[in-house]
Every structure is written in structure tokens, then in C-alpha cells.
Amino acid sequence: MNTACTIGSLTLKNRVLVASGTFGYGNEVSAYTTLSKLGGIVTKSVSKLPRQGNAPTRIAETASGMLNSIGLANVGVEAFVSDKLPFLRTLDTTIIVNIAASSIDEYVEVLERVDGEEGVDGYEINVSCPNVKDGGLNFGTKCDMTAAITRALRPRTTKPLIIKLTPNVTRISEFAQACEDEGADAVSLINTLVGLAVDVRTRRPKLSTITGGLSGPAIKPVALAKVYETARAVKIPIVGIGGIMTWEDAIEFLLVGATAVQVGTANFRDPDAGAKIAEGMAAYCTREGIDDIQELVGAMQTAAQATAPGFVAAR
Amino acid sequence: MRVTSIRPVADETYALRFHAPDLAAALKPGQFLNILVSDLSDPLLRRPYSISNIVEEECEILFSVVGKGTGILAAKRAGETIGVLGPLGNTFGYTKDFETALIVAGGIGVAPFPLLTAQLRAEGRAVQTFLGARSASRVVRDGLDNLHVATDDGSEGFHGTVIGCLAQWLETHEAPAPRIFACGPNAMLRATQDFASTYGIPCELSLESEMACGVGICQGCPIERVEGERKYALVCTDGPCFDSRDIIFHEFHA
């Protein structure tokens, strides 16, 4: 049974990656899971300079979800190369470096700094973090800016370029089309939804930044709808993200058109979640007699296509 | 892990034990566990709990019922299971150059101290415990030595804050070579930090924080450092125990 897929020039051994910002740089959780069981690791965002992140409080739990306002805290590209990459190189899985920046030049600078480094298999470009003042959503909610970033990065690498899109726009598929037109190998969606939680005792927001990014099972229906919309608009692969906690959730994303998925918030609950989901998807395929998991991509049947047992579609 | 017992130890406050021989052998005072109370998605995240005691092959946590997660935990019965990740965090990192431990706890901040007390006892040190609570019915007494109680409503002991209680006691008692160990709400920890600084007493604080993962991947539990290359430390992996001189509480640390 084939679980692999390709994104640009890259082959993933299975379709489960762990999402940026939810798995550190891999070493933090290596004691709690078998990293080689993952299709890939998307690193915590790497920016040109180290970022301290936002002031406390940075997280708040909500109904079946969580709000975060981490603010892209990260070690910066030089420390990433010297301190984090050596461990990542030892792993038998794909390493995708997530890049965040506050200008197009900075995106280019970070990508060019790591592009020659052994162990870097591809890039995910974060144009959509809702929790930073500079860049972040300012880029991701402007289609022409998203296109310009993709256009600037495309000629700088032969490795796969994945653009991570925000759901906080009117039509996400237009952004995906712009990325496809500019030569992106794939798009990943969705990043977090802007949300807010209030402490009624203190009458203060629960996060220091007032609003933050909502993730977890609460956003899965939104994410599925955005992937479905985008899959009908572009030919490049879509990496589905949003509230995936189980293998069933992951299969849902494939059925609406995702080629691969990323597991995010579930890692906080169980650092072994990604590996379990990959195993669960494979077991499902075996049970269902599916030889290649690709058969499931976009295979959701809508009412017009329904082929329930005993039903013969009229021609 | 299999729950072996749960018993009330004060109003709306429980001690829960579970069988975990490997953890019991590995855990040190000050460390914590990240506990998943349910397979459902609400509550979604694990909750951090200090390890409060170890009895043979069983570990014990103390908790007060404050929300959905702790409500589910309080309803557990022997034989049911909980998901446990640990041991996590550092330990109380004191050196041996003190004689009198002054333990300062606010509310359920008492949680790490029965285990620390057992260790201090074994080392032959004097231990004085100052515990602040809303009222007498909320005072947890198990496993503590020389307890001095302060209550908000005056229903037992000192009427006022736990720091007021400590200050009053120190005016009339000798405490050779003291060292403070404190855990509780951030407002209390800030007051303890100030007190320790004013009186020149070495002080370790065990911090509580919102925390999604407990292992350093979510970056959700920062505490500002006084100095160093990084502005923030993480309560989960750099703490939860800190030298009181090393950290700064923000206005958001309510």
C-alpha cells in the first residue's frame, strides 16, 4: 500500500507532517515519539534575527480549541543553522523550513542563507501569522503581496516552495491561484483564525495582545471548507491544516482535496499524535483495500455524484 | 495511568493518586506532570500539576476544582485512567548551605510541598510552613511540618496575607540560615519576591502558568528574565522553579 506523495521535487514517505510552531525543532519531543514515522517536520518559523515573542499571557484554551499569541518566538536563522539543523539532519524524515519575515528582502535573505545547507528539503513560507505587528497578516491578507513574495522567492531555490495561507480573507482560493501562477509548488492552509477570549472576572482579554490565533478541533470545519474551495481552483497540491486530531480527521482532509496534512495543536496534547495519525491512515487504507492513498484525494462524493449501494446514476 | 484513590483534603480540594512505578522512582520535588483528564476535545489540553507526594509506587497530585478540567478530574474514581506526561520541569535547585526552610504557599500552591518537606526532613533541616487560604476550610495540612495558617476571612490563624504571617513570625522567632520556597498565585509570588529581596533571604519560586504542551514546543508559558541572552524563560522547561532574583512578573501575571 502506497502512502507516499510528491510535492514539487520532493517525495514524502507519508502524508502527515507536523505543523510549524507546534513541534519546535524536533529535538524537544524526540523522547516522546518516533520522528521517522512522520512524513515530515515543518520547523518552527525561522526569521532573520532571533525573536523574543510576545509578552505573557500567550495562550488561552477555548471550547475545543486554543488561542495563541506566541509572536513567532524563534532562535533566528544563524542559530537555526548552527544549533538546530544538525539534529534535524540526523532524522529519517523530510525537513521543511518555515520562514517568517517582515519584508520581501528578509524572506529572500533567510531562504538564501539556508538553501545550501544539507538537510533542508523544502520551504513553507509564512505569510499569514496573525500575531506579529510587522509582516504577518499584513502580507497574507493582500493578494498582490502574497504573489510578490512568491515571485521573489521562486527563482532563488529549486527546492519545493509551499506558501502557507491565512483563512482571514474573503476568498482564500484567489490567494492560492496567485501562488500557483507565481510558481509555488504547493499551498498549505489554513493558518489560525483570528479570535479573542475574555476573562469575565477581571474583564480583561485573556491574551496580552487581545486577539490571537485560534486552532484545534474548533476550526476543522472551516479548514475543510477552505481546502475544498481551494482544491477546485488550483492544480498544485494542497497541504490541509486545521484541527486534525485523529486519522479520521486527516482522511477527511484528503477527501476534500488535500494531498497531505499537517498536525498542529494535537501535538500539544500528544507529541506522538502525528505518528499515530500516519499509522491510522495506513491501517484504514489496508482495511478498505486501497492500494494507493492518492485514490482518496478529492474523492468526497457530493449528492450529485452519490453512488450509495444499490443506486444507479441515470445517464 | 490507573487512578488508585481520590480523597478530599479540604473544601473542593482533592488528593488523587495513581499507580506509576517508573514515575515514582524518577520524580523530584518541584517537578510537574501534564495530565490529560479526558479523551474528548473539550477540555482540549493537558493541565500541569505539581507532584505533591510519592508513596511507594504511587504518585499523588493535589488540585482544587476551578473549571471543567478539574471538575472531570474530581469525578474520577479508583480504576479509571488519566493520561500522564512526565516527569517535566526542573527541581527545587537549592544548594545545601541553609538550615531553615521557610515554605510559603498560597491556596493550591501548597501542592509541591509535601514532597519537598519529606526531602527536607530526610536531610534533617528545620521546616516552617506558612500557608495562605481563603478560609480555614480550604487549608490543606497533609504532609506539612510546623504549619502557620493565614486566612483572608480570619477564620483561622493570622487574619491577612501569608507574607504578613511570615513577617510576624520572623519578628518573634529565630530562623538560622533561612531559605524561602514559595508557590501560589503570581500576586503572592511577587510579594514573596519583594519580601525576600528586602530581608536578603535566598528564595526559590515555583511558578504556575497557562501551558499547552509542557515540553517547550508551544512557547506558551514565558516568564521574563532579569538578564541573559533570551528575554523570556519558559516555565515548562526552564522552570517551574526559579531563583526569585532571576525573573520579572508582568502586569499580565495576575
Side-chain angles (χ1 to χ4, degrees), chain A residues 293-312:
Chain A
I293 199 169
Q294 179 67 26
E295 292 173 30
L296 295 174
V297 176
M300 178 176 73
Q301 301 203 347
T302 57
Q305 305 162 319
T307 53
F311 177 86
V312 178

Side-chain angles (χ1 to χ4, degrees), chain A residues 21-24 28-29 32 52-59 61 63-65 70 73 204 208 217 245 265 268-269, chain B residues 36 38-47 85 88 211-213 215 217-220 222 229 231-232 251-253:
Chain A
T22 67
F23 214 68
E28 297 93 334
V29 287
Y32 304 105
Q52 301 287 351
N54 293 329
T57 299
R58 290 180 179 177
I59 57 169
E61 186 166 338
S64 296
I70 307 302
R204 295 171 71 166
S208 67
M245 306 295 285
T265 301
F268 299 151
R269 215 171 118 111
Chain B
L36 189 63
S38 154
D39 290 334
L40 304 177
S41 66
D42 188 13
L44 177 64
L45 302 171
R46 291 170 184 268
R47 267 86 173 140
L85 193 67
L88 302 173
M211 204 179 275
C213 71
V215 297
I217 52 177
C218 77
Q219 302 271 319
E229 195 177 322
K231 181 178 179 184
Y232 293 112
E251 57 169 322
F252 283 102
H253 287 121

Side-chain angles (χ1 to χ4, degrees), chain B residues 42-170:
Chain B
D42 188 13
L44 177 64
L45 302 171
R46 291 170 184 268
R47 267 86 173 140
Y49 293 95
S50 291
I51 182 69
S52 63
N53 219 339
I54 295 167
V55 181
E56 296 176 350
E57 294 188 336
E58 294 183 354
C59 303
E60 183 174 279
I61 58 166
L62 290 175
F63 64 96
S64 291
V65 177
V66 291
K68 195 177 288 182
T70 44
I72 292 171
L73 207 49
K76 294 280 181 188
R77 294 293 172 261
E80 294 185 55
T81 57
I82 51 174
V84 179
L85 193 67
L88 302 173
N90 64 3
T91 66
F92 289 108
Y94 62 85
T95 52
K96 306 288 184 184
D97 57 350
F98 74 99
E99 294 176 32
T100 309
L102 303 172
I103 289 175
V104 180
I108 197 62
V110 69
F113 293 128
L115 190 61
L116 178 66
T117 298
Q119 178 172 293
L120 293 169
R121 253 187 231 146
E123 293 171 358
R125 297 177 199 282
V127 180
Q128 300 291 334
T129 306
F130 301 84
L131 177 59
R134 269 188 267 159
S135 66
S137 65
R138 301 296 293 256
V139 176
V140 179
R141 300 162 203 275
D142 291 14
L144 303 171
D145 284 354
N146 301 319
L147 187 60
H148 310 274
V149 173
T151 50
D152 294 343
D153 62 3
S155 54
E156 182 180 341
F158 183 85
H159 189 179
T161 70
V162 68
I163 292 299
C165 180
L166 169 65
Q168 187 187 62
W169 186 85
L170 281 174

Side-chain angles (χ1 to χ4, degrees), chain A:
Chain A
M1 204 276 298
N2 182 25
T3 59
C5 68
T6 58
I7 292 179
S9 57
L10 197 60
T11 298
L12 305 180
K13 69 168 93 169
N14 67 53
R15 297 172 185 240
V16 180
L17 303 111
V18 283
S20 179
T22 67
F23 214 68
Y25 302 98
N27 55 328
E28 297 93 334
V29 287
S30 57
Y32 304 105
T33 185
T34 306
L35 296 169
S36 62
K37 289 184 178 176
L38 296 169
I41 293 173
V42 186
T43 69
K44 175 128 191 72
S45 281
V46 177
S47 54
K48 180 182 174 186
L49 298 173
R51 293 182 69 108
Q52 301 287 351
N54 293 329
T57 299
R58 290 180 179 177
I59 57 169
E61 186 166 338
T62 58
S64 296
M66 66 174 277
L67 284 169
N68 89 79
S69 175
I70 307 302
L72 295 179
N74 80 97
V75 298
V77 69
E78 289 306 327
F80 171 74
V81 170
S82 62
D83 302 343
K84 305 298 181 184
L85 203 45
F87 173 78
L88 290 168
R89 279 189 195 117
T90 67
L91 304 178
D92 178 25
T93 192
T94 298
I95 304 301
I96 294 173
V97 178
N98 182 291
I99 299 176
S102 49
S103 70
I104 291 178
D105 287 348
E106 211 176 297
Y107 279 112
V108 169
E109 213 172 321
V110 175
L111 184 139
E112 289 188 330
R113 174 66 187 86
V114 296
D115 199 46
E117 293 290 336
E118 184 194 337
V120 175
D121 298 313
Y123 305 101
E124 181 179 73
I125 307 304
N126 184 357
V127 297
S128 50
C129 179
N131 300 323
V132 290
K133 288 178 186 163
D134 48 346
L137 267 189
N138 287 335
F139 293 153
T141 55
K142 292 175 183 156
C143 200
D144 57 345
M145 185 61 81
T146 302
I149 292 168
T150 311
R151 188 159 57 241
L153 294 174
R154 180 67 283 175
R156 260 89 178 184
T157 183
T158 57
K159 293 175 182 173
L161 199 57
I162 305 167
I163 313 299
K164 186 170 183 177
L165 302 177
T166 175
N168 300 303
V169 295
T170 306
R171 285 196 65 76
I172 197 169
S173 55
E174 291 173 3
F175 289 72
Q177 280 173 316
C179 295
E180 182 176 47
D181 292 345
E182 297 297 344
D185 294 289
V187 284
S188 53
L189 56 135
I190 56 175
N191 206 325
T192 53
L193 286 150
V194 174
L196 196 162
V198 185
D199 185 328
V200 295
R201 290 174 299 108
T202 62
R203 302 187 183 184
R204 295 171 71 166
K206 290 186 177 177
L207 298 179
S208 67
T209 50
I210 303 175
T211 60
L214 180 65
S215 66
I219 73 166
K220 195 184 79 173
V222 178
L224 285 167
K226 299 293 182 188
V227 170
Y228 177 66
E229 174 198 325
T230 304
R232 291 150 67 96
V234 299
K235 292 187 174 59
I236 54 176
I238 297 166
V239 182
I241 317 167
I244 297 172
M245 306 295 285
T246 65
W247 64 264
E248 290 97 328
D249 296 334
I251 296 287
E252 280 190 70
F253 273 84
L254 264 52
L255 290 172
V256 300
T259 292
V261 297
Q262 291 181 18
V263 174
T265 301
N267 297 316
F268 299 151
R269 215 171 118 111
D270 178 6
D272 197 34
K276 285 176 181 162
I277 288 168
E279 287 173 348
M281 292 169 78
Y284 167 78
C285 289
T286 301
R287 281 197 306 277
E288 297 286 319
I290 295 168
D291 295 330
D292 188 336
I293 199 169
Q294 179 67 26
E295 292 173 30
L296 295 174
V297 176
M300 178 176 73
Q301 301 203 347
T302 57
Q305 305 162 319
T307 53
F311 177 86
V312 178
R315 290 179 184 273

